[in-house]
Structures are given as structure tokens and as C-alpha cells.
Amino acid sequence: QQEILSLVMRVYCEDQLMDNIDAGAGAQFYAPSALKDAAKCQTDLRKGTQAPSTYRENSFKKLTNFLVGNLNKDDYTFQGPFVKPLQSLFNKVYIRRGQTSVDIVGDMTRATLLVKNKSDLSAVMLKIQESFPEIHGEMFEGPERIGVNSSLHRVFKMKKIPDTNIIPY
């Protein structure tokens, strides 16, 4: 349980400090430390939900712009991104009974794209299908099926959303 707790804190803190990680040479790089992570988590629990990093906000904006590129501003609404409270991540790991796997990283930040009608939704889906034909209708083979090494090599080679590190699958 202590290792799981440490992992939750590490993933949360790394996500919160993404701007420093992405900034490059002049930045203060994140170095995982159970003591530093615990102090940051304790502070954030007292303050409440933190805002997503600038890096993550920009990634969401670029993803949204990619998806709605052919739509008018009145055809959709974008809500977010929002960082889920740290309590939610702890609950996901410790409270939910019968859960066999946990995806902490994918559950850090949420946003919602609301499209006004079915034809606009079809336009968004068509954009994805045309830009990423290799993922349409196929199941992603993760490490549990093909092994960690093969999976990481496959992910590295996958096409990304333009100007982001987002890999749709």
C-alpha cells in the first residue's frame, strides 16, 4: 500500500509540475522524492483542486482546435480542462472495491467537448478517421498483450495530434 500511495503522489506531482519538465534547460526539473511529493500533496489537499499546468491546458486547446477545425465557434462548447481533486485519485486506488486495474495518469485531468448536433459530431469523427485511419476499428495492444518493450516501441512510433504529444488510440 505504501508503494501505491507513493506512485499516486508521484504521478500527481509530476503532472502538476509539467511546466517545469517541459521548459527545458533553464527549468527546475522535477525529481521524484517521497518527502517532497508528500509535502506538495498535503498542501494541495488543504487548498483544494489545483489548476492544470500551462502545458496540459495548451495540449487540450490544440486537441480541441484539431477536432473542431472545420466547425464554427457556435457549433460546439468546450469545458475545462479541470484537474480532478487529489482525494479522487486516492479514492480510486484505495476505496473502490473489486477494481483490478487503475489508470492514474489518464484520470488526472478532465475536459468536455459538447457538439451541437449529429452532423457536427460526424464531422469530428470523420476528422479523426481521416487523420488516424490506423486506429479506426482496431483494438490497442498494450503491454499486457505484447509486453512492455514492444508496447513502448509501438507507442513511440505512433502518429500524434499535430503540435502535441497526444497519441489517439
Side-chain angles (χ1 to χ4, degrees):
Q1 285 184 342
Q2 188 173 1
E3 289 176 9
I4 293 172
L5 176 63
S6 179
L7 178 63
V8 171
M9 291 189 306
R10 180 172 296 166
V11 170
Y12 175 80
C13 289
E14 188 171 323
D15 183 74
Q16 290 297 298
L17 300 169
M18 186 62 79
D19 292 337
N20 286 340
I21 294 169
D22 190 53
Q28 177 185 356
F29 287 99
Y30 170 74
S33 160
L35 293 175
K36 288 181 185 175
D37 290 350
K40 174 153 182 52
C41 288
Q42 185 177 36
T43 301
D44 288 354
L45 279 168
R46 287 183 178 141
K47 287 184 191 174
T49 303
Q50 297 296 299
S53 65
T54 305
Y55 175 87
R56 189 166 294 260
E57 275 193 54
N58 289 336
S59 294
F60 270 95
K61 286 177 187 174
K62 289 174 183 175
L63 173 61
T64 304
N65 291 339
F66 168 78
L67 293 174
V68 299
N70 298 331
L71 303 179
N72 296 320
K73 288 247 186 225
D74 296 336
D75 295 338
Y76 66 91
T77 305
F78 180 72
Q79 301 168 350
F82 306 105
V83 174
K84 290 183 86 174
L86 185 54
Q87 294 94 322
S88 173
L89 300 176
F90 286 127
N91 288 344
K92 186 171 188 180
V93 174
Y94 290 109
I95 306 298
R96 294 185 187 167
R97 302 277 181 227
Q99 188 165 297
T100 57
S101 66
V102 177
D103 180 9
I104 300 168
V105 178
D107 210 15
M108 291 291 294
T109 311
R110 287 284 185 245
T112 304
L113 177 64
L114 302 171
V115 183
K116 299 286 182 190
N117 57 51
K118 187 177 177 180
S119 64
D120 291 338
L121 179 59
S122 295
V124 170
M125 294 302 298
L126 184 62
K127 173 95 176 200
I128 294 169
Q129 290 171 1
E130 289 175 350
S131 300
F132 300 94
E134 64 278 3
I135 66 168
H136 182 63
E138 290 187 27
M139 189 170 165
F140 178 74
E141 292 184 322
E144 67 281 353
R145 290 185 176 205
I146 62 173
V148 173
N149 189 38
S150 296
S151 181
L152 289 174
H153 280 87
R154 180 176 278 178
V155 168
F156 177 76
K157 293 177 184 176
M158 293 175 89
K159 188 176 171 185
K160 297 175 178 70
I161 300 289
D163 300 319
T164 74
N165 289 320
I166 299 170
I167 302 170
Y169 65 89

